[in-house]
Amino acid sequence: MSDYAITVENISKRYRIGVQEAAADTLGGTVFRALTKPARTFSQIRSLSTFGADSDQAADIIWALKNISFELKEGGKLGIIGKNGAGKSTLLKVLSRITEPSHGRALIKGRVSSLLEIGTGFHRDLTGRENVYLNGSILGMSRADIKNKFDE
């Protein structure tokens, strides 16, 4: 049996975004675009649900993660840092099974939860002890588990 708690193999996640159309410069171009708008709209809606073989390079594809691999041993710690838009939250969403990767896989032994927003699980009107119990329950721990680990 592997002593890794998390194994990530070539995780990639892509999203399809809207592409802004160029404005028509002439009256004839404006009329032509108005007449062909229904056909373009139908084509765009149809393409939203399909990712073709050549669509990985399309203008409306954005890669939040591309070929990320790592292993984390049991008891290990991992910090994820990077600029805005680097894919930190997307990686946490994939690891906690909020979203599925487009490619690759993540093997996780045990429970995983993520708190993606600063302050999630902490209430200013509660005591420190009460906040620990609240945060533990958000992470899926039982009251007995929290009590046993409280001093740690």
Side-chain angles (χ1 to χ4, degrees):
M1 188 75 178
S2 171
D3 61 341
Y4 291 105
I6 299 175
T7 302
V8 173
E9 300 172 349
N10 297 315
I11 290 282
S12 295
K13 180 63 179 175
R14 66 181 169 198
Y15 293 99
R16 187 179 299 271
I17 56 171
V19 177
Q20 189 172 355
E21 296 179 0
D25 292 339
T26 64
L27 177 61
T30 302
V31 171
F32 178 76
R33 292 187 70 70
L35 292 174
T36 59
K37 179 71 174 167
R40 286 193 321 275
T41 301
F42 175 74
S43 175
Q44 289 172 344
I45 291 172
R46 192 167 156 234
S47 72
L48 287 176
S49 63
T50 60
F51 283 106
D54 61 340
S55 70
D56 287 353
Q57 304 302 323
D60 60 343
I61 300 295
I62 186 168
W63 288 93
L65 301 171
K66 199 154 192 182
N67 298 325
I68 305 294
S69 297
F70 64 89
E71 295 176 323
L72 181 66
K73 290 190 175 199
E74 289 184 27
K77 294 177 176 69
L78 173 68
I80 303 171
I81 33 181
K83 295 179 181 179
N84 289 343
K88 304 176 297 290
S89 294
T90 303
L91 179 60
L92 287 173
K93 287 177 184 177
V94 168
L95 291 177
S96 57
R97 307 277 191 248
I98 294 170
T99 186
E100 290 293 318
S102 301
H103 300 291
R105 65 183 185 154
L107 304 171
I108 298 170
K109 188 191 306 182
R111 295 185 297 198
V112 172
S113 295
S114 63
L115 297 175
L116 293 173
E117 300 295 326
I118 295 173
T120 301
F122 295 94
H123 194 284
R124 63 186 180 111
D125 294 336
L126 299 178
T127 66
R129 178 177 286 275
E130 290 168 334
N131 270 303
V132 168
Y133 276 91
L134 174 62
N135 194 23
S137 64
I138 289 172
L139 293 173
M141 298 174 69
S142 69
R143 286 188 69 81
D145 288 341
I146 298 169
K147 185 177 179 180
N148 291 337
K149 295 185 180 268
F150 189 87
D151 291 333
E152 290 179 24

